[in-house]
Amino acid sequence: MKKQARVAIQGIKASFHEEAAFKFFGRDIQTIECDSFKRTCEHLEKGDADFVVMAIENSIAGSLLPNYTLIREYNFAVVGEVYLPIQLHLLALPGVKFEDVKTVTSHPIAIRQCVDFFDEFPHLKVVESVDTAACAKRIRDEQLTDTVAIANMLAAELYGLNVLERRIESNKKNFTRFLILQKEKSDLNKDINKASICFQVGNTAGALARVLNIFAENEVNLTKIQSMPVLGKRNEYYFYVDMEWKNLEKYENAIRRTLKFTVNFNIMGEYQKNDKV
């Protein structure tokens, strides 16, 4: 009998992190609920989880910068990625009508992504909470008849709520990218065509451009560059770069050449591109 993968997520069941985990692994997994991203890393570090699913960027809110630091500090391996469309619905107890509603509750980012909807209903009191799914669960647990949650369809199914309004997000092309983390690097994934790396360069004119040109010369496409200050060091930065390629040999050549011009170079993970939304 195949052992269920233990996947640590930030949030509770039916959160967007669990939805992302289901999309990557399928539903036959054991979800480990965590109240913070750091806690997910602690579970993986101790061996209580096999994987972590961690949000790394949103097409509207941008990058989750502290998560880059967590991945680097724990030295976890990025073994995959998954893109999830963020579809937000207004959820209520069965029988509740929209005219009964006085309060809307959700995660602050989810609330900000629905501003156009709330502009039409200024009488609604908006209350921020730590997790979209937790808001839905609270409505079910406390049988709140004057409160609705903004959450996903998974939360509606799990907590037995009705959908009062579908797709209330302002931008219908909103998505979040999640990384799949493992404690150790794995050689099982042979069909790699994407990588996430981290490095520093000297504080001299053209130092970063020289490194980026090496990738360009080897036809390696840089899909993202993110800089983060080195804690306690003035004018020193970590550069986090995502890249993809068609020719593995050219990518490996680019990596070898790059080592000469960087310090604290780290391949955080090599994996298969998975950008279908």
Side-chain angles (χ1 to χ4, degrees):
M1 186 176 175
K2 187 181 177 183
K3 184 186 171 187
Q4 275 188 326
R6 300 168 301 167
V7 183
I9 61 167
Q10 186 272 324
I12 68 170
K13 288 185 182 299
S15 65
F16 283 107
H17 274 82
E18 186 177 58
E19 190 176 348
F22 285 163
K23 186 173 180 181
F24 188 85
F25 293 102
R27 293 216 172 200
D28 188 23
I29 60 173
Q30 179 188 340
T31 303
I32 301 171
E33 301 172 331
C34 302
D35 58 9
S36 68
F37 287 114
K38 184 168 174 43
R39 187 74 67 190
T40 65
C41 293
E42 289 171 354
H43 276 290
L44 187 57
E45 181 71 19
K46 292 175 185 173
D48 298 332
D50 304 308
F51 300 95
V52 164
V53 173
M54 181 180 284
I56 202 69
E57 64 184 287
N58 175 266
S59 56
I60 295 174
S63 296
L64 282 76
L65 298 181
N67 288 356
Y68 281 99
T69 302
L70 279 174
I71 298 169
R72 192 191 76 252
E73 288 182 346
Y74 277 91
N75 199 28
F76 291 149
V78 181
V79 296
E81 65 177 351
V82 61
Y83 284 77
L84 188 71
I86 303 302
Q87 299 179 354
L88 299 166
H89 313 290
L90 215 54
L91 309 183
L93 285 172
V96 170
K97 296 184 174 62
F98 189 74
E99 50 266 31
D100 304 327
V101 176
K102 296 175 183 174
T103 304
V104 179
T105 180
S106 194
H107 189 281
I109 292 179
I111 290 168
R112 286 203 298 274
Q113 291 171 352
C114 301
V115 289
D116 293 343
F117 179 83
F118 293 121
D119 284 346
E120 296 179 36
F121 305 100
H123 66 284
L124 293 175
K125 180 184 177 184
V126 179
V127 178
E128 295 183 353
S129 186
V130 294
D131 186 75
T132 55
C135 294
K137 184 176 184 294
R138 179 170 167 260
I139 288 173
R140 193 275 312 271
D141 291 348
E142 299 180 19
Q143 291 292 293
L144 302 176
T145 56
D146 63 348
T147 303
V148 291
I150 302 169
N152 58 11
M153 201 60 77
L154 203 58
E157 294 168 10
L158 184 63
Y159 302 116
L161 302 181
N162 282 354
V163 180
L164 287 188
E165 294 281 343
R166 291 179 181 271
R167 303 295 305 275
I168 66 168
E169 69 273 11
S170 301
N171 189 322
K172 306 302 180 190
K173 294 183 179 179
N174 180 17
F175 63 86
T176 296
R177 178 181 176 226
F178 298 79
L179 296 180
I180 314 301
L181 308 178
Q182 203 173 313
K183 191 172 180 180
E184 307 288 346
K185 288 184 170 65
S186 171
D187 295 327
L188 296 177
N189 191 357
K190 301 296 183 186
D191 299 322
I192 58 169
N193 56 8
K194 191 167 183 177
S196 297
I197 69 171
C198 173
F199 58 84
Q200 291 176 258
V201 294
N203 187 22
T204 56
L208 178 60
R210 182 165 50 189
V211 172
L212 300 185
N213 280 333
I214 291 172
F215 290 111
E217 290 162 11
N218 284 274
E219 300 174 9
V220 176
N221 180 32
L222 307 185
T223 57
K224 182 177 183 179
I225 303 176
Q226 181 73 55
S227 65
M228 286 271 292
V230 178
L231 194 62
K233 302 284 184 72
R234 288 183 59 196
N235 301 321
E236 289 190 29
Y237 294 85
Y238 287 109
F239 292 97
Y240 296 87
V241 181
D242 290 335
M243 58 189 63
E244 54 190 53
W245 60 86
K246 292 182 179 176
N247 186 311
L248 180 60
E249 210 172 299
K250 287 185 176 181
Y251 157 73
E252 290 174 339
N253 180 55
I255 292 294
R256 280 193 298 272
R257 289 180 57 196
T258 301
L259 290 172
K260 299 174 187 175
F261 305 106
T262 59
V263 293
N264 294 328
F265 185 94
N266 180 25
I267 298 177
M268 299 166 68
E270 296 170 327
Y271 48 96
Q272 203 162 2
K273 176 181 170 182
N274 181 24
D275 60 359
K276 291 180 182 176
V277 178

